[in-house]
Amino acid sequence: MISRLIVIFITHLVILLFGLTQASAQSTAVCFMQKTIGKYNSSSSVKSKVSKKVFLSMLDETKESEGRLFYSKQAMRLELLGEQKSLIVMNKDAIWLETSGVVDGDKTQVTKIIAKDLARQSRAPIVLIFGQSKILSEFKVKSDTTANGVRKISLTPKDLKKWKDLQNFYAEVNIKGGVIELAQYEDELGNRTTFRFSNTEFNAGLDKKIFDYKPPQDAEVTIYK
């Protein structure tokens, strides 16, 4: 009887310790990402070269583009050129998504997101990642490894139904520089978007007007409130 109680006690102790270890590991990974994003937010401005690759699951094809990222105090401008030109601007008033070149002759498509609801903002996951580091507390850790000075963290939402456009998030961070070198996310349809960042410069001295935006006169604008 005594030996059985000891076995039960040890089993419960192992489960408790393992659970605490897992929770600690998750907390550490999330805190690390929040601290990394915090560095971007504490800098007067940040600029990077960007390459973007989008895998479209249903079409089984990949589209690539390159451009520049400008960031300052939760304001962002992401300009991309390639098969499909796109522009994302986040400022204090709204998040703007502009695309053109989908079909020759089509009007420029503009989406304006003015809702404070973070789930609505997830229509632009790259904005959500940089602009709302606190949201990472709603994610759990799938993996957390370090190799050659780069920490690789994979996260998934605790509530998958809430984050349809952000089902999985993966990042690679240069530990010494505190620089995000890669950010990747996947939606519920299996579409995967990968951003690679290079030549990142902190306190870059940007003109704040770069975060202003006005849709082209002939654009079709869709507003999400």
Side-chain angles (χ1 to χ4, degrees):
M1 178 68 177
I2 294 177
S3 61
R4 182 171 179 271
L5 290 175
I6 292 175
V7 170
I8 293 173
F9 171 76
I10 292 175
T11 301
H12 286 176
L13 182 61
V14 169
I15 292 173
L16 175 62
L17 290 176
F18 180 75
L20 289 174
T21 301
Q22 290 291 91
S24 176
Q26 291 201 11
S27 176
T28 300
V30 170
C31 285
F32 174 78
M33 284 304 305
Q34 290 175 327
K35 182 179 179 180
T36 298
I37 296 170
K39 179 178 180 178
Y40 283 71
N41 286 323
S42 63
S43 174
S44 62
S45 57
V46 183
K47 65 179 181 180
S48 295
K49 288 185 178 180
V50 182
S51 64
K52 178 184 178 183
K53 184 180 292 186
V54 180
F55 171 70
L56 302 172
S57 179
M58 295 184 68
L59 299 176
D60 191 25
E61 66 179 33
T62 300
K63 294 183 177 294
E64 299 185 31
S65 54
E66 294 186 351
R68 301 177 299 171
L69 170 73
F70 304 97
Y71 187 79
S72 178
K73 307 295 184 182
Q74 296 190 353
M76 175 187 287
R77 184 182 184 92
L78 177 61
E79 306 169 348
L80 293 166
L81 299 174
E83 298 176 63
Q84 180 178 324
K85 290 174 57 179
S86 65
L87 172 66
I88 297 176
V89 177
M90 173 176 69
N91 52 41
K92 64 180 181 179
D93 299 317
I95 299 170
W96 297 90
L97 292 79
E98 178 186 302
T99 57
S100 58
V102 179
V103 178
D104 289 341
D106 273 4
K107 291 184 178 180
T108 298
Q109 303 295 314
V110 175
T111 300
K112 181 181 181 182
I113 303 172
I114 57 178
K116 293 183 179 180
D117 179 12
L118 293 174
R120 287 280 183 87
Q121 291 186 20
S122 72
R123 294 175 187 273
I126 193 66
V127 169
L128 191 67
I129 292 163
F130 279 96
Q132 299 285 349
S133 63
K134 62 183 180 180
I135 204 58
L136 293 177
S137 61
E138 296 196 27
F139 286 68
K140 57 185 179 181
V141 179
K142 293 175 64 179
S143 65
D144 178 11
T145 61
T146 301
N148 301 319
V150 176
R151 190 164 180 177
K152 304 175 181 181
I153 297 175
S154 181
L155 306 173
T156 190
K158 296 174 183 177
D159 183 355
L160 290 172
K161 292 181 179 179
K162 182 177 179 180
W163 303 102
K164 293 182 179 180
D165 295 319
L166 196 58
Q167 295 284 284
N168 291 290
F169 171 61
Y170 170 78
E172 294 183 1
V173 181
N174 182 298
I175 297 174
K176 185 177 180 180
V179 176
I180 299 173
E181 296 183 340
L182 182 146
Q184 181 182 89
Y185 52 83
E186 189 172 325
D187 65 21
E188 64 176 348
L189 299 177
N191 300 313
R192 185 172 59 253
T193 301
T194 305
F195 289 94
R196 290 189 178 275
F197 305 97
S198 60
N199 298 96
T200 298
E201 181 182 344
F202 292 90
N203 299 311
L206 300 177
D207 183 345
K208 296 302 171 68
K209 291 182 179 180
I210 199 172
F211 303 112
D212 294 339
Y213 178 80
K214 185 177 181 180
Q217 288 187 344
D218 63 342
E220 291 185 355
V221 181
T222 303
I223 299 177
Y224 289 97
K225 297 182 178 180

